């Protein structure tokens, strides 16, 4: 009987980004540039993209801590997306209504996604309805993770 390693990864963003990534409706692909673990070597920390080595169901999650969001300001539309080869999964929120005293908002998404071997997945954020002044707070506040939870083959 042949057994293969279960692919899994955890990556984080380090350091903080500049405060000019989104805010005006611009989509920004988050590159989680520091690998904590990457069993199987399927996450690329230079592009922020995970490539599925096997077909199956994968569990993905991400937490992105948006910075420079003014409470009660114009940034009233926010989205965090898991973009896969087959579809895009989205969670929406109102950043200006939920920002903290230090002008941060935590966006998160958790998805079980059907993937074929070679399919890719990455995280994208968008904030809209004001100016491009939003950045991302890095370690330990922003990370992306995933793992294979079931497949048709041996795991």
């Amino acid at each position: 009987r042949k057994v293969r390693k279960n692919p899994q990864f955890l990556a984080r963003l380090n350091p903080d980004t500049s405060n000019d990534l989104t805010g005006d409706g611009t989509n920004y692909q988050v590159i989680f540039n520091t690998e904590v673990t990457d069993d199987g070597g399927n996450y690329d920390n230079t592009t922020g993209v995970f490539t599925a080595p096997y077909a199956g169901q994968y569990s993905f999650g991400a937490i992105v801590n948006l910075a420079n969001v003014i409470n009660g300001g114009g940034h009233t539309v926010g989205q965090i997306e898991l973009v896969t080869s087959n579809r895009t999964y989205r969670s929406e929120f109102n950043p200006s209504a939920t920002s903290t005293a230090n002008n941060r908002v935590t966006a998160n998404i958790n998805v079980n996604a059907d993937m074929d071997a070679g399919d890719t997945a990455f995280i994208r954020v968008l904030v809209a309805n004001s100016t491009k002044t939003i950045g991302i707070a890095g370690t330990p506040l922003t990370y992306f993770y995933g793992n294979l939870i079931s497949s048709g083959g041996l795991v």
Side-chain angles (χ1 to χ4, degrees), residues 69-77 93-99 105:
V69 180
I70 307 303
N71 191 297
H75 295 114
T76 57
V77 173
F93 55 96
N94 181 335
S96 104
T98 57
S99 68
V105 171

Side-chain angles (χ1 to χ4, degrees), residues 8-82:
Q8 59 184 343
F9 72 96
L10 169 62
R12 58 190 167 94
L13 176 71
N14 187 34
D16 296 355
T17 66
S18 61
N19 285 334
D20 61 356
L21 306 177
T22 188
D24 62 352
T26 301
N27 275 311
Y28 177 74
Q29 181 181 334
V30 183
I31 298 175
F32 302 84
N33 57 356
T34 303
E35 291 180 10
V36 176
T37 184
D38 187 7
D39 295 344
N42 304 295
Y43 179 75
D44 185 336
N45 68 344
T46 63
T47 64
V49 175
F50 170 81
T51 303
Y54 316 118
Q57 288 286 317
Y58 286 79
S59 177
F60 293 103
I63 293 179
V64 177
N65 197 276
L66 300 169
N68 204 32
V69 180
I70 307 303
N71 191 297
H75 295 114
T76 57
V77 173
Q79 299 173 348
I80 182 170
E81 297 176 329
L82 172 72

Side-chain angles (χ1 to χ4, degrees), residues 80-93:
I80 182 170
E81 297 176 329
L82 172 72
V83 180
T84 71
S85 299
N86 297 323
R87 69 186 44 85
T88 298
Y89 304 87
R90 176 179 300 136
S91 177
E92 296 183 353
F93 55 96

